[in-house]
Amino acid sequence: MVKIFNHFYIGLTHVAVEKLTISSGTVGCVALGALLGYAIGNFAIVSGLGSVLDSKGTVVFIVVCVLVGAIAIFFVEKYVIVFGTSLTGAFAFIIGLDMFVTTGFNQLIRLALNAQTPDIRQIPGKIWGMAIGVMFLTVIGVIVQLKPPGSLRVSCCESRLSIRPKKPQGQFRDKPGGSDTTLV
């Protein structure tokens, strides 16, 4: 029951940061940068760095990642926002998916934050699959957000179901003042 509340708070924090970003630009962007740093720190600890660090080292590493993310927003705002929303969204989706699939990804995150990460070789393949899913969804999110406006097709049948009338080609019309016809 406690882990459900912990993940609820993570999801609630994600929603609150998105609302702050929309309503108060600077505060929201700094919070998004900090959340990006937190997500990167978590991902690095889960990927094996947690087995090297002790509990104080884990906390220091997470705090440094949060501060770097919060400061980075002032230098590369667009990319921090794009990568931050993509990574935190992918992370939240995979955490939610793991609540139903129960691969152990959520437990590994909890163990990593408590500096009890097992050796990399002891982590099951399905947890690595969830980690790859986070990376894959993040890449998809970044690609979609960095596409130029109008370059994404709305429908696969867009070219066949066009509502706009086609321009007439090769039709004749009368010349003004005469009866001769010209090709347009």
Side-chain angles (χ1 to χ4, degrees):
M1 188 70 171
V2 172
K3 73 177 183 175
I4 292 173
F5 285 117
N6 287 339
H7 296 299
F8 173 74
Y9 290 130
I10 290 172
L12 190 64
T13 304
H14 181 73
V15 170
V17 166
E18 286 181 358
K19 296 299 179 190
L20 274 174
T21 304
I22 292 170
S23 63
S24 172
T26 305
V27 174
C29 287
V30 169
L32 181 64
L35 190 60
L36 169 65
Y38 180 73
I40 289 175
N42 269 337
F43 200 72
I45 286 174
V46 167
S47 324
L49 185 62
S51 59
V52 178
L53 300 173
D54 61 346
S55 62
K56 289 181 183 177
T58 302
V59 171
V60 169
F61 180 74
I62 293 287
V63 168
V64 167
C65 286
V66 167
L67 290 175
V68 167
I71 293 170
I73 196 77
F74 293 109
F75 299 105
V76 284
E77 180 178 351
K78 176 183 177 182
Y79 298 107
V80 170
I81 289 174
V82 166
F83 189 68
T85 55
S86 297
L87 181 64
T88 57
F91 218 87
F93 178 78
I94 293 296
I95 285 173
L97 182 66
D98 190 52
M99 294 296 242
F100 295 105
V101 181
T102 61
T103 61
F105 187 71
N106 293 336
Q107 288 78 15
L108 181 64
I109 292 171
R110 192 169 5 102
L111 287 173
L113 291 176
N114 292 329
Q116 300 172 350
T117 307
D119 189 34
I120 294 176
R121 289 175 235 114
Q122 295 174 347
I123 299 173
K126 46 188 179 174
I127 294 178
W128 287 113
M130 295 296 252
I132 290 170
V134 169
M135 291 186 286
F136 177 74
L137 289 174
T138 300
V139 168
I140 296 297
V142 167
I143 288 171
V144 167
Q145 290 185 57
L146 289 180
K147 283 275 194 186
S151 64
L152 291 176
R153 291 180 57 168
V154 177
S155 168
C156 62
C157 304
E158 183 177 289
S159 60
R160 286 181 241 147
L161 299 176
S162 179
I163 300 172
R164 289 182 263 143
K166 294 184 179 182
K167 293 181 181 178
Q169 295 181 1
Q171 294 181 354
F172 291 96
R173 77 173 165 188
D174 290 349
K175 271 189 183 177
S179 62
D180 293 349
T181 56
T182 58
L183 185 62
V184 177

